[in-house]
Amino acid sequence: MAMTDDLLRWRSEFPIVETCTYLVSHSLGAMPRRTATYLQEFADTWSGRGVRAWYEGWWDIGRETGNILAPILGVAPNTISMHQNVTVAQGIVASCFTFDGPRNRIVMSDLEFPSNHYLFEGFRRYGAEIVYVPSSDPVRLDLQRFLDAIDEHTVLVPLSFVLFKSAFVTDVRAVIEKAHAVGAHVVVDAYQGAGTVPMDLAGWEADFAVGGSVKWLCGGPGAGYLYVRPEIAERVRPALVGWAAHESPFEFATGPVRPAGNPERFQSGTPNVPSLYSARAGYEIVAEIGVEPIRRRSLALTRRIIDQAQAAGYRLNTPLDDRERGGSVILDVPNAKDVADELIRRDVIIDYRPGAGIRMAPHFYNTEAEIDHAMKMLREIVAC
Ligand SMILES: Cc1ncc(COP(=O)(O)O)c(C=O)c1O
């Protein structure tokens, strides 16, 4: 299997996989070896160059990091700004809109990641009406119901591309089409897809996309991203901006901001430099491998988990159809929380989510033998 061998070539770049069975890349992707080199480079630059580092690369590091990420998301270069996390990026998007007129609805699924709810809930104070679309099935977005909720009163539709609790891949294209037909904007939360499921956010005409680097991108914490479609980037005016969003920041002009072009106009203040050094390592590797080969490998490994889970009679809270499934498998067993704790004690690193079960997430550095080992441990613990 040339392809498998090819991807496993990357294993030696991820030290942790030699110490445990690491199946948790939907939560915290393994750290690449070169991350330490880049972080050392950051320290050496700060130590050796001091303030000169700003004009020797640090000031542009957000744009350059976003450009490594761009092909992974399927967007053009110079369309991504870097922020601390998804919430900050969503806050900047929300600050581009007003909510005091008749178009004031924010339509979201009840299956969204909680912080997406928390952030937009806060905009009620500015007149936003929050519409939660319930799903009768906890695994799947109820697409028709969701589309029906989007109307000419809708201003924003935040939607995860891959749902965090079930790994269901949502039909963002259909949602974008409906939203655009009624004049609404879509914010795709790409977090659970980026780096494991191919995306064509530009081709899909997503207005905004947000995400972070902790998971499948193996980029570590502190490197959230915000994509804005070039066609609307110059039209919208974020309220949540800082001096880095000014077209000429070193003029230190006071009063209203004179916005820079895309992507800096969505910037806040001083860039999160060390996090961007660390994110670069994971982005480079994912971009070099390409998301398509990662996806093929991921589907083979998640299928292997599913086959063994079904043979053991476990409940699967994740789509069985490859086209509907992201990079994780969520399976439920009696006392799943205790079982998850025991798996971790045995160095099989997975996680547990209430109401869903045990989440397992193989990435391109995992082997079939690791899946078999994890499933054997699971069967042993469940049988106890
Ligand atoms: C789909 C999704 N969105 C958002 C988040 C939270 O992102 P952040 O901590 O960067 O705000 C997560 C974290 O697990 C997630 O899975």
Side-chain angles (χ1 to χ4, degrees):
M1 292 274 292
M3 187 194 82
T4 303
D5 292 348
D6 209 36
L7 292 199
L8 289 180
R9 185 166 60 82
W10 290 99
R11 242 177 108 77
S12 59
E13 179 70 23
F14 295 88
I16 202 168
V17 299
E18 297 307 331
T19 67
C20 61
T21 304
Y22 200 74
L23 291 172
V24 73
S25 300
H26 59 281
S27 175
L28 183 62
M31 187 186 100
R33 221 174 262 286
R34 73 176 79 159
T35 307
T37 311
Y38 289 159
L39 285 173
Q40 186 62 50
E41 211 177 277
F42 161 72
D44 292 344
T45 306
W46 182 13
S47 161
R49 300 302 297 157
V51 75
R52 290 168 292 186
W54 286 115
Y55 50 85
E56 291 172 356
W58 282 8
W59 192 252
D60 297 319
I61 193 171
R63 177 186 281 257
E64 281 167 13
T65 310
N67 284 347
I68 311 173
L69 178 62
I72 298 171
L73 301 185
V75 302
N78 305 320
T79 57
I80 296 175
S81 54
M82 301 302 297
H83 306 276
Q84 188 193 338
N85 56 39
V86 168
T87 301
V88 171
Q90 294 273 38
I92 293 166
V93 173
S95 83
C96 292
F97 296 90
T98 54
F99 303 91
D100 51 359
R103 192 184 276 282
N104 69 338
R105 285 190 192 147
I106 300 175
V107 175
M108 283 186 286
S109 160
D110 62 345
L111 302 176
E112 267 309 319
F113 188 81
S115 59
N116 290 344
H117 288 179
Y118 303 161
L119 185 273
F120 290 105
E121 276 286 339
F123 281 75
R124 283 189 195 271
R125 77 187 63 176
Y126 304 116
E129 181 190 337
I130 311 295
V131 177
Y132 292 112
V133 182
S135 292
S136 42
D137 176 351
V139 170
R140 285 179 173 71
L141 181 85
D142 189 334
L143 182 63
Q144 196 53 53
R145 216 171 182 180
F146 197 75
L147 295 177
D148 290 345
I150 302 169
D151 61 16
E152 58 288 341
H153 298 292
T154 307
V155 54
L156 275 179
V157 185
L159 175 67
S160 286
F161 173 47
V162 177
L163 300 180
F164 83 105
K165 248 190 197 179
S166 65
F168 178 77
V169 179
T170 64
D171 190 348
V172 292
R173 262 175 298 186
V175 172
I176 290 167
E177 208 170 287
K178 174 69 194 278
H180 287 180
V182 296
H185 291 89
V186 176
V187 195
V188 177
D189 180 339
Y191 212 157
Q192 282 294 352
T196 190
V197 185
M199 268 182 268
D200 180 17
L201 287 169
W204 300 344
E205 299 190 356
D207 301 299
F208 303 92
V210 297
S213 306
V214 172
K215 307 172 195 295
W216 310 98
L217 293 170
C218 302
Y225 54 84
L226 166 60
Y227 160 78
V228 184
R229 188 154 63 101
E231 290 79 1
I232 62 168
E234 306 283 332
R235 271 200 280 122
V236 292
R237 293 279 301 252
L240 205 174
V241 291
W243 69 295
H246 195 279
E247 68 172 1
S248 188
F250 294 97
E251 269 180 32
F252 298 103
T254 51
V257 68
R258 283 201 322 269
N262 201 13
E264 281 77 20
R265 65 195 278 118
F266 299 98
Q267 206 50 263
S268 52
T270 307
N272 208 2
V273 179
S275 295
L276 300 180
Y277 268 85
S278 113
R280 190 175 125 205
Y283 291 5
E284 282 175 353
I285 293 171
V286 170
E288 187 178 334
I289 300 172
V291 186
E292 293 282 352
I294 292 175
R295 174 68 169 161
R296 284 195 292 274
R297 177 85 181 128
S298 164
L299 285 175
L301 293 175
T302 51
R303 170 64 48 203
R304 200 173 180 96
I305 298 173
I306 288 172
D307 287 347
Q308 295 189 37
Q310 284 184 316
Y314 303 149
R315 181 188 167 86
L316 283 154
N317 287 331
T318 223
L320 301 183
D321 185 331
D322 284 359
R323 288 165 303 182
E324 289 186 342
R325 190 174 69 252
S328 323
V329 175
I330 296 87
L331 50 87
D332 210 4
V333 293
N335 306 315
K337 168 80 174 75
D338 295 340
V339 173
D341 289 346
E342 178 59 19
L343 278 169
I344 294 167
R345 206 189 59 76
R346 295 185 188 194
D347 285 337
V348 175
I349 313 299
I350 44 72
D351 71 9
Y352 165 82
R353 287 291 174 272
I358 295 170
R359 299 194 302 175
M360 287 189 175
H363 211 357
F364 57 87
Y365 35 66
N366 289 118
T367 64
E368 280 82 358
E370 287 175 314
I371 302 293
D372 295 348
H373 173 71
M375 294 307 287
K376 180 166 178 276
M377 289 298 110
L378 180 59
R379 285 191 299 272
E380 271 182 30
I381 298 164
V382 172
C384 276

